[in-house]
Amino acid sequence: MTETSFWLFLAAAFLIAAIPGPGIFYVAARTLSEGRVSGFASTAGTALGGLVHVVAGSLGISAIILASAELFAAVKFAGALYLVWLGIKTFRSAGRAPSLGSEPVGDKRAFRDGVLVEALNPKTAAFFLAFIPQFLDPAGSSPTLQFIMLGAISVTLNTLADVVVVLMASATRAQLIGRPQLMRRLTQGSGVFIAGLGLSLALTRRPANG
């Protein structure tokens, strides 16, 4: 791709990463309810889930899913149900008394959750298939490699935005940790919000051109 196209892509990808979306809200909710360790683990998981969409998009798998109403619905509802289940679990865990000295040790679980939440989101697949091809050079040696490279850059920028959100949410949590009743309400709110993301995903429609 030309240098001009690359810098245009980089500027657009940076702006998109800076705009709060479902991924940022999910990572923030996990950090507020479970702490910095879970926040960073969730961020790493969503990054890997994003890369799954990049590879799938470059191979044409995402296009097949978006073109099939049945496959799109299956992936969509699987992701929605998983988010709702995570939200319910978070809400029910609000009765535990958190403390700064006892950060959750479930970082592997948070990582796994992040991967599944992002990988089972067909909206991410639709985004990559609509956004990245605009900057590909058809005359280039390998459009597939171009897609993967640009997709990896986009995922990296999104991950950096998530890291900033984790740090901010963690600082907020540290200020509230000595107020158990407020923390309980905050955790419950995080659970409701995560479940709400699932319901929002369930209402997503397949792209008209799919």
Side-chain angles (χ1 to χ4, degrees):
M1 63 188 305
T2 65
E3 183 177 352
T4 300
S5 296
F6 176 76
W7 286 110
L8 284 174
F9 164 81
L10 198 60
F14 178 82
L15 289 175
I16 292 172
I19 298 174
I24 284 181
F25 289 130
Y26 169 73
V27 168
R30 289 300 293 263
T31 305
L32 289 171
S33 63
E34 300 177 26
R36 183 181 297 185
V37 172
S38 289
F40 282 136
S42 297
T43 296
T46 55
L48 181 56
L51 290 176
V52 169
H53 282 293
V54 170
V55 174
S58 69
L59 298 176
I61 298 175
S62 293
I64 295 174
I65 292 176
L66 291 174
S68 168
E70 292 78 12
L71 287 176
F72 181 87
V75 173
K76 178 183 71 173
F77 285 116
L81 287 174
Y82 197 72
L83 274 170
V84 171
W85 177 74
L86 286 178
I88 293 174
K89 279 189 62 178
T90 301
F91 185 90
R92 295 180 62 182
S93 71
R96 303 171 189 168
S99 65
L100 288 176
S102 58
E103 288 280 2
V105 294
D107 50 336
K108 291 183 179 180
R109 175 179 57 80
F111 174 78
R112 178 204 64 197
D113 290 344
V115 173
L116 291 176
V117 164
E118 188 69 10
L120 293 175
N121 187 353
K123 293 171 67 176
T124 303
F127 165 76
F128 281 124
L129 288 178
F131 176 64
I132 294 180
Q134 301 179 52
F135 301 93
L136 299 181
D137 180 8
S141 57
S142 178
T144 298
L145 289 180
Q146 290 181 54
F147 190 103
I148 292 176
M149 181 192 73
L150 296 182
I153 292 174
S154 182
V155 169
T156 299
L157 291 175
N158 292 339
T159 301
L160 291 176
D162 287 346
V163 168
V164 173
V165 169
V166 169
L167 293 175
M168 294 174 62
S170 178
T172 300
R173 185 176 187 270
Q175 294 176 354
L176 301 177
I177 205 72
R179 305 169 66 180
Q181 288 298 324
L182 186 56
M183 275 301 304
R184 179 170 172 269
R185 297 298 182 189
L186 185 62
T187 301
Q188 289 177 334
S190 297
V192 171
F193 192 82
I194 292 173
L197 289 176
L199 295 177
S200 175
L201 178 59
L203 297 175
T204 299
R205 294 185 178 182
R206 187 164 60 99
N209 60 345

